[in-house]
Amino acid sequence: MGSDVLVSQIIHYFQTDSSQYWLYVWQHIYLSGITLVIAMAIALPLGYIGSRIKTVAAFCTAFSQVLRIIPSLALLFLLIPFIGTGMTPALIALVVLALPPLLINTILGFNEVSPLYKEVGTALGMSRQQLRRQIEIPLALPYILNGIKLALVEIIASATLATYIGAGGLGTLIFTGLGLYDMTYVVIGGVSVAILALLSMAGFDFLIRRARRYDEASYSI
């Protein structure tokens, strides 16, 4: 298929099926967003606890290493006999895949907070809650945001496989194109997933830079 023909077919698709395309985009974003929220609700508190208790940190590190070697497609198929198909197994599989970067970066972020800042805060009469809210969390935030960024990119990329179990999303276009030997659908789906991932990375990189500048301005000693 020539490039001119491919471009014309892509244009034709958007002219005739744009509503279907945006439905796939919404499904992909919705699945990714819910996954990220659930993974953060699990990983951020556990990561904070791990930064304070070495045995928890060791468990989180070992757990994350195990999760990283499990292929996302294999995990999806392993869940089918127990949960069936649809949104629920896709959510579980994606949450599991998102946990390692969130856990590791949260633990790293809190561990990187210099004891000097805590000593200064304690000398100023701060309570433990104030130390956590005003010193520990702001200083750990760039690392936490980096973990969220890595997790979200992993989720967006892996969510394409959720099509296999009926969860929808942009993977529908990719696998439809592969099944029909039609590169039009593959290109539209693949480029759309790449754009979502790149936008997520750019957005979080901006937030990380802002958080670091704020830390440098506020906590320079």
Side-chain angles (χ1 to χ4, degrees), residues 17-205:
D17 295 311
S18 60
S19 59
Q20 183 186 59
Y21 169 78
W22 289 114
L23 174 62
Y24 293 146
V25 172
W26 165 247
Q27 289 174 341
H28 208 96
I29 293 174
Y30 180 74
L31 178 61
S32 300
I34 292 180
T35 300
L36 183 63
V37 170
I38 295 173
M40 287 172 61
I42 297 170
L44 299 187
L46 189 59
Y48 176 75
I49 295 171
S51 69
R52 305 182 73 86
I53 304 174
K54 291 183 178 180
T55 53
V56 177
F59 169 79
C60 290
T61 301
F63 180 65
S64 298
Q65 290 173 346
V66 171
L67 292 182
R68 283 175 171 170
I69 65 174
I70 301 176
S72 49
L73 185 59
L75 186 58
L76 283 170
F77 282 123
L78 285 173
L79 291 172
I80 291 176
F82 303 100
I83 306 175
T85 59
M87 180 71 74
T88 301
L91 274 174
I92 295 173
L94 292 173
V95 166
V96 169
L97 293 171
L99 287 176
L102 286 169
L103 283 171
I104 297 301
N105 281 273
T106 301
I107 294 172
L108 176 63
F110 283 110
N111 283 340
E112 287 295 313
V113 177
S114 172
L116 177 61
Y117 295 113
K118 299 178 186 179
E119 292 173 5
V120 171
T122 302
L124 293 173
M126 288 185 177
S127 65
R128 183 177 295 274
Q129 290 77 15
Q130 288 174 319
L131 286 173
R132 184 186 306 118
R133 185 175 62 253
Q134 298 179 30
I135 293 179
E136 290 182 316
I137 293 177
L139 288 172
L141 188 59
Y143 296 91
I144 295 172
L145 288 174
N146 188 57
I148 295 172
K149 178 188 75 172
L150 295 174
L152 183 56
V153 171
E154 176 74 22
I155 292 167
I156 290 172
S158 299
T160 57
L161 301 175
T163 299
Y164 267 122
I165 57 174
L170 290 165
T172 306
L173 286 170
I174 296 173
F175 292 114
T176 297
L178 291 174
L180 297 175
Y181 298 99
D182 189 339
M183 288 301 297
T184 303
Y185 295 103
V186 176
V187 170
I188 293 172
V191 170
S192 299
V193 171
I195 289 173
L196 287 178
L198 289 172
L199 289 175
S200 300
M201 290 178 63
F204 274 99
D205 283 340

